[in-house]
């Protein structure tokens, strides 16, 4: 498979929830200029500083060369420093400044883990909500070996 490093795509996606350079690599990339959409397909790896997202497909929606939202699907994995996450789908909403993990959503870091059907992190309010599947339950594990050291595992993608 030929990997495509998409540095030139950054001019279309300049504010992917952060300032600074973002690199996206995938097996295939398709830009739909009229609908202001870009699709990155197969073995997608998005990286910015210490934040990384891996998925099968990433669709970026932009307007006037500014990202409005990006939707990742298939085998989602998130990594930022000691924080890891996974889900079936992820939505990065630049307009509302939220990160939503959907389907078997889990966020972990040393000392804690949260899981549910959906995890929504509002970066403006620094608030995280965890929702269960219908009839299910949410789960949180805190390993408090040291007083004051237990924190919820929330990726800080606003740097």
């Amino acid at each position: 498979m030929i990997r495509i490093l998409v540095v030139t795509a950054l001019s279309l996606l300049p504010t992917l929830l952060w300032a600074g350079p973002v690199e996206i690599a995938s097996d295939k990339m398709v830009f739909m200029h009229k609908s202001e959409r870009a699709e990155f397909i197969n073995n997608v790896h998005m990286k910015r500083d210490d934040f990384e997202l891996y998925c099968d497909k990433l669709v970026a929606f932009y307007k006037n060369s500014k990202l409005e939202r990006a939707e990742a699907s298939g085998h989602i994995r998130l990594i930022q420093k000691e924080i890891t996450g996974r889900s079936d789908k992820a939505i990065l909403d630049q307009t509302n400044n939220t990160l939503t993990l959907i389907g078997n959503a889990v966020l972990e870091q040393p000392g804690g883990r949260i899981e549910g059907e959906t995890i929504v992190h509002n970066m403006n309010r620094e608030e995280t909500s965890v929702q269960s599947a219908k009839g299910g339950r949410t789960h949180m594990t805190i390993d408090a070996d040291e007083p004051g050291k237990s924190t919820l595992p929330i990726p800080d993608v606003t740097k």
Side-chain angles (χ1 to χ4, degrees), residues 29-97:
M29 170 186 63
V30 178
F31 283 100
M32 290 142 280
H33 300 287
K34 287 185 180 182
S35 61
E36 296 183 304
R37 189 171 93 182
E39 291 185 5
F40 302 89
I41 303 161
N42 292 332
N43 299 308
V44 180
H45 177 214
M46 180 177 70
K47 181 176 169 82
R48 189 239 172 224
D49 294 332
D50 62 357
F51 178 80
E52 295 183 70
L53 172 105
Y54 296 88
C55 63
D56 295 335
K57 182 177 182 180
L58 179 75
V59 180
F61 300 88
Y62 56 94
K63 188 166 190 160
N64 299 322
S65 296
K66 290 192 177 188
L67 181 73
E68 290 186 338
R69 78 180 188 284
E71 297 179 3
S73 59
H75 303 98
I76 307 297
R77 287 186 308 126
L78 305 166
I79 301 168
Q80 185 172 35
K81 296 182 183 176
E82 294 183 337
I83 299 168
T84 61
R86 64 182 183 273
S87 64
D88 299 330
K89 182 176 180 180
I91 300 172
L92 304 167
D93 185 337
Q94 179 68 22
T95 305
N96 295 309
N97 212 17

Side-chain angles (χ1 to χ4, degrees), residues 10 17 21 68 83 99 102 110 120 142 147 152:
L10 300 178
L17 288 176
E68 290 186 338
I83 299 168
L99 169 64
I102 303 166
V120 179
I142 300 173
L152 292 179

Side-chain angles (χ1 to χ4, degrees), residues 3-17:
R3 302 283 289 170
I4 302 171
L5 183 58
V6 188
V7 176
T8 57
L10 300 178
S11 64
L12 296 173
L13 308 173
T15 59
L16 189 57
L17 288 176

